[in-house]
Amino acid sequence: MPILRYLGHSACEIVEGDVRILIDPFLTGNPAATESAEDFHPTAIILTHAHNDHFGDTLEISRRTGAPVVAMHEISDWLIERGVNSHGMSTGGGHTFEWGWVKLTAAWHSSTYITTDGRLLPMGTPAGVLLRLGDRVLYHAGDTGLFGDMSLIGRIGIDLAMLPIGDNYTMGPDDALEAVRLLQPRLVAPIHYNTFPVIAQDGEAWARRVTETLGLPAVAPRPGGEIRY
Ligand code: ZN
């Protein structure tokens, strides 16, 4: 049974046996993070998109550990140009790695990256992530607005869905509730909230609302907290 550790904002570490997967490892400069980048030795890093609050410490962690970065083609090409081990994919494509299966889904958002010298680089389109480790499927929605095709994404049978609820840049609590209705996951948890004042939300109240209105289990771990799924 995989264990997901919520690292604050949208960063998660998923551990299943010897496999350790990092998604959107924004740790340095993340006011919600309880750990630092050098604590991690992942098998692979998966990125939903290139915004700096998701790309985070990807370069440092991958260069130090050699962990491959699974990301949209444009991000992957940029990483490979810089000597970083990376596997490019695109929307709707799945791939089986030695350690598990990944499919990138659609997400309604954008995907730019600000370099250390302040340049804004376009990095293709953003994605959500389906990750199967063992027989369990995680859906990490990345940053996105609500869209009806979430009902198609849910047909795979999602064991745990991590959904943004922060509003302003992504779905807010009401739309995220509708997303749960479309996805019908076995368990759901909120992400991308409370890191900055503009995305302040009550995650525990939202989780209660999911259970009360949809009858589905929901949890809101604090940064550093774990979910077994
Ligand atoms: Zn974003």
Side-chain angles (χ1 to χ4, degrees):
M1 183 179 280
I3 299 171
L4 180 144
R5 195 148 52 105
Y6 178 52
L7 305 172
H9 202 52
S10 295
C12 301
E13 184 189 41
I14 303 98
V15 180
E16 157 84 345
D18 295 338
V19 174
R20 309 180 88 85
I21 305 299
L22 269 178
I23 300 180
D24 289 357
F26 169 49
L27 300 159
T28 304
N30 176 356
T34 55
E35 277 146 289
S36 49
E38 56 265 33
D39 298 334
F40 293 93
H41 295 81
T43 310
I45 300 166
I46 305 173
L47 294 179
T48 62
H49 63 297
H51 284 159
N52 295 61
D53 60 327
H54 294 256
F55 189 96
D57 297 289
T58 294
L59 281 175
E60 188 280 314
I61 298 171
S62 181
R63 282 187 168 137
R64 174 170 49 80
T65 64
V69 181
V70 178
M72 288 293 277
H73 172 71
E74 288 81 0
I75 299 174
S76 180
D77 270 2
W78 186 83
L79 289 168
I80 290 167
E81 270 177 30
R82 278 148 192 83
V84 174
N85 183 6
S86 182
H87 179 103
M89 300 178 68
S90 197
T91 317
H95 185 76
T96 301
F97 298 85
E98 279 178 14
W99 40 265
W101 175 85
V102 173
K103 184 176 185 178
L104 297 185
T105 72
W108 279 103
H109 193 63
S110 58
S111 184
T112 48
Y113 180 74
I114 301 172
T115 61
T116 46
D117 58 354
R119 285 175 304 132
L120 187 73
L121 305 179
M123 287 283 200
T125 53
V129 172
L130 287 167
L131 169 65
R132 185 189 287 125
L133 297 177
D135 63 352
R136 298 300 161 106
V137 174
L138 167 74
Y139 172 53
H140 185 300
D143 281 359
T144 188
L146 176 66
F147 55 96
D149 286 352
M150 284 181 176
S151 62
L152 299 177
I153 293 170
R155 285 186 194 173
I156 194 172
I158 295 168
D159 293 293
L160 173 62
M162 305 297 289
L163 303 180
I165 69 159
D167 218 344
N168 196 76
Y169 300 111
T170 69
M171 295 189 285
D174 293 349
D175 281 357
L177 189 73
E178 186 59 33
V180 179
R181 197 192 309 272
L182 295 173
L183 292 161
Q184 291 291 312
R186 208 165 51 77
L187 178 62
V188 62
I191 53 174
H192 209 272
Y193 71 104
N194 282 357
T195 325
F196 311 107
V198 72
I199 57 170
Q201 300 292 345
D202 186 334
E204 288 175 7
W206 182 78
R208 280 196 300 277
R209 211 173 136 207
V210 167
T211 302
E212 282 162 11
T213 57
L214 302 176
L216 291 168
V219 290
R222 288 168 202 278
E226 294 184 346
I227 305 171
R228 287 173 185 272
Y229 68 99

